[in-house]
Amino acid sequence: MAVSSPLVVVGSVNADIYVEVERLPVEGETIAARSGQTLPGGKGANQAACAARLSYPTFFCGQVGLDGHANLVKDALASAGVRLDHVNTVDSPTGHAVVMLQPGGKNSIIIVGGANVAWPKLEDGISRLTANAQQLIKRAGAVLLQREIPDAVNLEAAKVAKSAGVPVIMDAGGAEGPIPEELLKHVTVLSPNESELARLTAMPTNSLEKILLAAAKVQEMGVQQVLVKMGETGSVLVSGKEPPIYQPAILAPTVVDTTGAGDTFTASYAVALIERQTPAEALRFAAAAASICVRSKGAMPSMPERKAVLQLLKEHPLTEEKLSPPDEKVSRFLQCRHRDGAAATKIETPNRVDSKPNGFQGQASPNQHMPKVMEGLKIGIVGFGTFGQFLAERICGQGHEVVALSRSDYRDVARRLGVSFHRDVNAFCDEHPDIVIMSASIISTETVLRSLPVERLKPDTLFVDVLSVKGFPKQLFLTILPPQFDVLCTHPMFGPNSGRASWAGLPVVYERVRIGEGARMDRCNRFLDIFSSQGCKMVEMSCGEHDVHAAGSQFITHTVCRILGKMKLESTPMNTKGYEDILRLAETGEADSFDLYYGLFVHNPNAVQELQRLETAVACLKKELFGHIQHTSGEQAFSVAKRVAEVSMC
């Protein structure tokens, strides 16, 4: 599904080889590690994964090699929900890093560039992006860059973005060399940590006062805004002539691994700004995300989901004492005197910031009319069985509110998932959800739908079905629901078993049957983003076309599995791999309810034809087998014929 203004990350992707050590070795010394493992990482990939896990549509542009590490990192990105349409494979090893993790979460890292630095080049030596990648950048909400890929690639991406009015946020980490002056002039927000800021400006950064002076120097180089990450001290944003904004860190109870914390902070800040949060709100959102990140080992695996970030913010409300910068002298009036003798600059804390529409000052944002995704949708689920619970868990994890309705008592499950639960249809409808998902069984859907007092719902409610047949619910919705209600038919072609670990690459078929314009279309797209942001393969087709394909695939699959189940197959001491696959299929057939299978048969008009084709195929095969008996000589033919007759009599 096309996304109007995604976040585009152009950058590196690595396999991070972790070794846990008590201390770093000295020259000539060999030490033993306590443990070791390989995890996905790379600054670009980390930031893309973070944004996607925050439920924002995210594309990654990068390069991998022809090796096992490529599958590791691509699978991890897809599992996080990152779109990989613009990831290229090159004849170089996938980038990797050795992360030496010491007690307390401190780390030292050695990077091998590999495919990250093997970008194609033009005749004049400038690395280039593909034409499709350039078009993607031009329609982005923002572009995120880092320094683990060639500066020439970053420069080209920044130029393309700036030409289209797209903000560019650049993490200064990843390379020790100076940042080209031309690149800095195309950057909207530069985000270094203290050591990177010191290296860039050749100025000390061991106090907030000195950090602000160094940030002012970076602005003189052409950067509009400088966002300095100061670890456990917090962060500070220096933006044009506006007062600097200080955000204290939200300290974690235990720091396990700081790898990826800076990437999490930068990506979270970018997402918040695109969503029209003020710079102060974005800083606080990023601080919460980074706090969650350091509590687990590994960069990408520790990236938080939006629900966890919002919960942490609730647990840490703003207070005056938390907002004070660490240096009281600076908090009153910092004497930032530039060469022209400018007056002092006052430090602003997040509760007193200027309420700007977003942090991209002096640059039009492509999303200036976009609603805040932070507010989330209120989604009702009718039918809170296994599949309804499966959907609710993922939907809640993306920061949306879920209200469930079921005749059975699922209060304990709902409480665990953070879902409001009702057994009374009136109470459910009085919750006024934005969207109602019909997750009842196929054979009970009509009865359940007719039982809903839809007049108690909002007049423009979006109804969504998730059944395995499509023509039936489409006609049902159009017949029963008021004409002002929106209708979206979907079929997530996976369930709690196949989609337990990840939704990446799993198909979702949908038809926008009746969707209003403007905000109602936006609501529909935001619902579909629940799936697309998790990496699902979005397939738009008519309900009729779906049922034709489903009869020839899903119904026939269920039928074959049930036939195998009826055969009561058993494992043997000499199982082949093929036979073990058949045993698993037989188990699958027994696992699904007969009501589901019956619904596929009754409510898909194409199912009978597929059943007849199966019967015809079996009859043809029997005819072919028995026809060869006449070519078998003497006693063997008689023996085979006798066995066939005995089976037929049974």
Side-chain angles (χ1 to χ4, degrees), residues 380-383 403-407 422-431 433 435-440 444-458 461-465 476-477 480-482 485:
I381 298 179
V382 178
V403 182
L405 171 68
S406 181
R407 293 175 299 177
H422 297 280
R423 299 179 72 180
D424 179 73
V425 292
N426 293 317
F428 171 81
C429 290
D430 287 345
E431 290 271 6
I435 299 170
V436 174
I437 301 174
M438 294 297 298
S439 185
S444 64
T445 291
E446 181 173 0
T447 301
V448 173
L449 182 61
R450 290 187 183 278
S451 72
L452 294 178
V454 294
E455 68 277 0
R456 303 176 80 113
L457 294 168
K458 293 194 292 187
T461 303
L462 169 61
F463 265 73
V464 179
D465 95 280
L476 206 60
F477 281 6
I480 296 175
L481 294 176
F485 279 23

Side-chain angles (χ1 to χ4, degrees), residues 628-643:
H628 276 64
I629 294 177
Q630 61 183 339
H631 302 298
T632 306
S633 60
E635 185 177 339
Q636 186 179 6
F638 177 76
S639 176
V640 172
K642 182 179 179 181
R643 290 200 303 271

Side-chain angles (χ1 to χ4, degrees), residues 28 103 159 161 191 217 226 249 326 340 413 590 627:
K159 283 182 174 180
S191 182
K217 183 174 181 179
V226 184
D340 59 357
V413 177
E590 295 297 320

Side-chain angles (χ1 to χ4, degrees), residues 151-222:
D151 286 328
V153 180
N154 280 331
L155 177 59
E156 186 170 6
K159 283 182 174 180
V160 172
K162 190 172 183 179
S163 70
V166 176
V168 177
I169 302 173
M170 183 172 183
D171 191 307
E176 294 186 1
I179 302 175
E181 185 176 337
E182 186 180 8
L183 175 56
L184 288 174
K185 290 179 179 178
H186 288 82
V187 172
T188 312
V189 182
L190 182 70
S191 182
N193 60 26
E194 297 156 284
S195 60
E196 291 158 357
L197 180 62
R199 192 162 56 238
L200 179 62
T201 60
M203 295 174 65
T205 57
N206 56 353
S207 72
L208 183 56
E209 181 177 0
K210 293 175 181 178
I211 284 172
L212 291 172
L213 289 169
K217 183 174 181 179
V218 174
Q219 288 185 295
E220 293 174 2
M221 299 176 183

Side-chain angles (χ1 to χ4, degrees), residues 62-105:
Q63 298 193 151
V64 296
L66 294 166
D67 50 31
H69 285 160
N71 293 330
L72 170 74
V73 295
K74 288 171 68 176
D75 288 349
L77 284 169
S79 295
V82 180
R83 292 286 298 274
L84 304 179
D85 311 53
H86 302 277
V87 174
N88 299 320
T89 301
V90 297
D91 189 17
S92 292
T94 300
H96 49 283
V98 178
V99 182
M100 291 170 283
L101 187 62
Q102 302 167 69

Side-chain angles (χ1 to χ4, degrees), residues 361-625:
Q361 299 172 16
Q363 190 165 353
S365 168
N367 291 317
Q368 58 185 358
H369 302 299
M370 181 175 144
K372 281 190 182 181
V373 178
M374 284 289 294
E375 297 172 357
L377 295 165
K378 188 172 186 177
I379 299 176
I381 298 179
V382 178
F384 202 54
T386 304
F387 191 75
Q389 295 168 23
F390 171 64
L391 285 179
E393 185 171 12
R394 283 299 179 101
I395 292 171
C396 287
Q398 296 190 29
H400 302 294
E401 181 182 354
V402 174
V403 182
L405 171 68
S406 181
R407 293 175 299 177
S408 302
D409 189 355
Y410 290 116
R411 282 177 295 182
D412 291 342
V413 177
R415 191 178 301 112
R416 176 175 59 82
L417 296 176
V419 171
S420 299
F421 181 76
H422 297 280
R423 299 179 72 180
D424 179 73
V425 292
N426 293 317
F428 171 81
C429 290
D430 287 345
E431 290 271 6
H432 298 137
D434 303 304
I435 299 170
V436 174
I437 301 174
M438 294 297 298
S439 185
S441 68
I442 298 176
I443 60 175
S444 64
T445 291
E446 181 173 0
T447 301
V448 173
L449 182 61
R450 290 187 183 278
S451 72
L452 294 178
V454 294
E455 68 277 0
R456 303 176 80 113
L457 294 168
K458 293 194 292 187
D460 63 347
T461 303
L462 169 61
F463 265 73
V464 179
D465 95 280
V466 290
L467 297 182
S468 300
V469 293
K470 294 272 71 70
F472 168 64
K474 175 181 178 178
Q475 188 59 40
L476 206 60
F477 281 6
L478 294 177
T479 301
I480 296 175
L481 294 176
Q484 70 269 23
F485 279 23
D486 287 347
V487 174
L488 173 68
C489 287
T490 74
H491 181 191
M493 300 190 68
F494 52 90
N497 291 325
S498 56
R500 181 185 295 110
S502 169
W503 290 5
L506 299 176
V508 175
V509 180
Y510 66 96
E511 180 186 354
R512 296 184 180 93
V513 177
R514 185 174 66 199
I515 305 295
E517 298 179 349
R520 292 166 69 170
M521 181 60 75
D522 289 340
R523 176 182 60 185
C524 174
N525 289 339
R526 290 176 65 194
F527 176 79
L528 291 171
D529 280 345
I530 291 172
F531 298 98
S532 64
S533 66
Q534 298 294 306
C536 290
K537 179 183 177 182
M538 307 301 292
V539 182
E540 186 168 8
M541 68 169 59
S542 71
C543 291
E545 186 180 0
H546 166 278
D547 284 353
V548 171
H549 292 304
S553 58
Q554 190 181 28
F555 175 72
I556 210 69
T557 300
H558 277 265
T559 300
V560 170
C561 288
R562 287 191 169 273
I563 290 172
L564 293 173
K566 296 294 184 186
M567 294 177 66
K568 305 297 182 185
L569 301 175
E570 296 181 355
S571 181
T572 73
M574 47 180 290
N575 287 357
T576 62
K577 186 177 183 303
Y579 185 64
E580 289 179 349
D581 290 340
I582 287 176
L583 290 175
R584 281 192 290 272
L585 286 174
E587 291 175 2
T588 302
E590 295 297 320
D592 291 320
S593 70
F594 185 78
D595 283 353
L596 170 62
Y597 179 59
Y598 181 70
L600 292 175
F601 175 70
V602 171
H603 293 296
N604 189 335
N606 307 283
V608 172
Q609 180 181 350
E610 292 303 315
L611 196 58
Q612 290 172 339
R613 289 181 60 203
L614 181 62
E615 291 174 340
T616 301
V618 173
C620 289
L621 188 58
K622 287 173 63 178
K623 183 177 180 181
E624 186 177 355
L625 284 171

